[in-house]
Amino acid sequence: MSATVAIVADRIGWEERRLIEAAPEAGLVVDWVNDESLCLGHQDAPSLTGYDAVLVRSRSYTRGGLIATLAEASGIRTINTASAIRACENKLELRAVLHRAGVPAGDFRLVLSRRDFEQALKDVPPPVVLKPVFGGMGKRVTLIRDTDTAQSVYDYVEDLGHGFEQASLVEPYLDGGTSVRCLVVGREPVATAEFASAGGDWRSNAALGNRSRALDHDPAITKIVDGVVDALGPGIYGIDLFQVPGGHVVNEVNHAPAFKAIAAATGADIPRAVARHLQETLT
C-alpha cells in the first residue's frame, strides 16, 4: 500500500507540482492541503487524518512552525521537524542554534528599539543590512550605506511595524554581490549554485530572479552544510552562505526552499530526490 503525504502550503507552486508528479515513482501518494484551512488543535483534526506524514511548505514565516508543532503533537511525522522549522523561521534562533553547534554564521546585532539600533551602528558601522527577524524571500531587507539615512530608515520600522515586525537584525554588509545556495535533502547536498544580484537590485536572492550558475563540489562548504544538518536534524533545506575572508558563513536556512532556479542552474532532479527521501523516511 502506498504511503500518503500531505504537502501543507498556502498554494500549489512550481515546486509543489513537481513534487506531486514525482511521488508515484517512489510509491507515494501526495496531496496538497491548504494551510489556511487546517483548524488544528484537537488531536484527531480531520484535515490531516489518514496521512502518514506532512511535508510543511508554508511560505508564511509563522505558519510552518505552528502547524508542525500541532501535527507532531497529534502523532503525525513532519518534514521538517517542528523544532527545525521554528529555528529556520526565526533568524535569531537560527543564529543561536548554529553558534552552539560551532557552525560559522554571520555577525549581527539584535535590534528591538531605536536605542538598540543606534548602538548597533556604533558596533557595526555602515554599510549594514537591516533585516526582520521573521521574514523571507528578501522582503524588507534593507541596505543602509551611510549614517545620514539610517535614522530615517528606522522611522519606517518603528512607525509602520507592529512589535512582532520590529524585531530586526543589523548585519555588516558583505559586498560581494553573490551568495551560495545549497539544496539539502536528508543529509545530502543535492545541488549547489551561486546566485548573483541582477539589474539594479543589490540582493542576491533566487526569489528575485537573479543570475545563477552551478558550483563544483567544495569540501569546505560541505563541512558547513554537515554542521547545519547536525544542528537541525536531517530534512529539506535551502542553506544560504556568504563568502568571507577565510571561507564561508551561513546567512539563512530556509525550511521550505524554492528550488526552480537551482534546479535549472545545476540540472539536479530535486523532486525525485525529495520523493526518495520521503519514501526512505516512511519505511
Side-chain angles (χ1 to χ4, degrees), residues 45-70:
S47 55
L48 296 179
T49 298
Y51 289 105
D52 298 299
V54 172
L55 176 59
V56 180
R57 288 193 55 84
S58 297
R59 290 167 178 82
S60 163
Y61 52 80
T62 55
R63 290 178 187 168
L66 298 174
I67 291 167
T69 296
L70 289 177

Side-chain angles (χ1 to χ4, degrees), residues 25-252:
E25 184 179 329
L28 302 173
V29 175
V30 176
D31 299 325
W32 169 54
V33 177
N34 193 329
D35 69 4
E36 297 178 334
S37 57
L38 293 174
C39 198
L40 298 176
H42 191 278
Q43 63 180 7
D44 297 322
S47 55
L48 296 179
T49 298
Y51 289 105
D52 298 299
V54 172
L55 176 59
V56 180
R57 288 193 55 84
S58 297
R59 290 167 178 82
S60 163
Y61 52 80
T62 55
R63 290 178 187 168
L66 298 174
I67 291 167
T69 296
L70 289 177
E72 285 186 358
S74 297
I76 301 171
R77 185 189 297 269
T78 66
I79 304 165
N80 299 328
T81 65
S83 61
I85 292 173
R86 289 194 298 268
C88 293
E89 289 176 333
N90 183 325
K91 294 179 179 64
L92 178 64
E93 182 174 348
L94 177 67
R95 298 293 175 91
V97 169
L98 297 182
H99 178 74
R100 287 195 298 269
V103 177
D107 187 20
F108 72 94
R109 298 296 185 276
L110 173 64
V111 171
L112 300 176
S113 67
R114 188 176 292 272
R115 185 174 296 178
D116 274 344
F117 183 61
E118 292 170 348
Q119 183 60 49
L121 294 179
K122 293 177 182 178
D123 292 351
V124 187
V128 297
V129 174
L130 177 67
K131 63 172 60 172
V133 169
F134 303 94
M137 302 181 71
K139 294 181 179 179
R140 297 195 293 126
V141 178
T142 306
L143 172 59
I144 301 175
R145 295 187 182 275
D146 54 64
T147 54
D148 290 344
T149 58
Q151 297 298 332
S152 295
V153 169
Y154 194 75
D155 286 342
Y156 287 93
V157 176
E158 191 173 59
D159 295 344
L160 300 181
H162 300 291
F164 177 80
E165 298 167 325
Q166 288 178 0
S168 305
L169 301 183
V170 165
E171 303 175 349
Y173 173 52
L174 302 177
D175 189 9
T178 63
S179 63
V180 173
R181 161 64 64 96
C182 288
L183 201 292
V184 173
V185 179
R187 296 195 60 91
E188 300 300 320
V190 299
T192 304
E194 179 185 78
F195 289 90
S197 57
D201 198 321
W202 63 274
R203 295 167 294 179
S204 56
N205 187 297
L208 302 174
N210 296 164
R211 302 187 310 272
S212 59
R213 67 181 182 91
L215 293 181
D216 295 331
H217 173 72
D218 185 332
I221 290 178
T222 300
K223 181 178 179 181
I224 295 174
V225 169
D226 287 344
V228 173
V229 177
D230 285 343
L232 297 178
I236 301 165
Y237 304 108
I239 302 176
D240 294 333
L241 306 101
F242 287 144
Q243 188 167 9
V244 296
H248 289 81
V249 295
V250 177
N251 178 45
E252 296 182 6

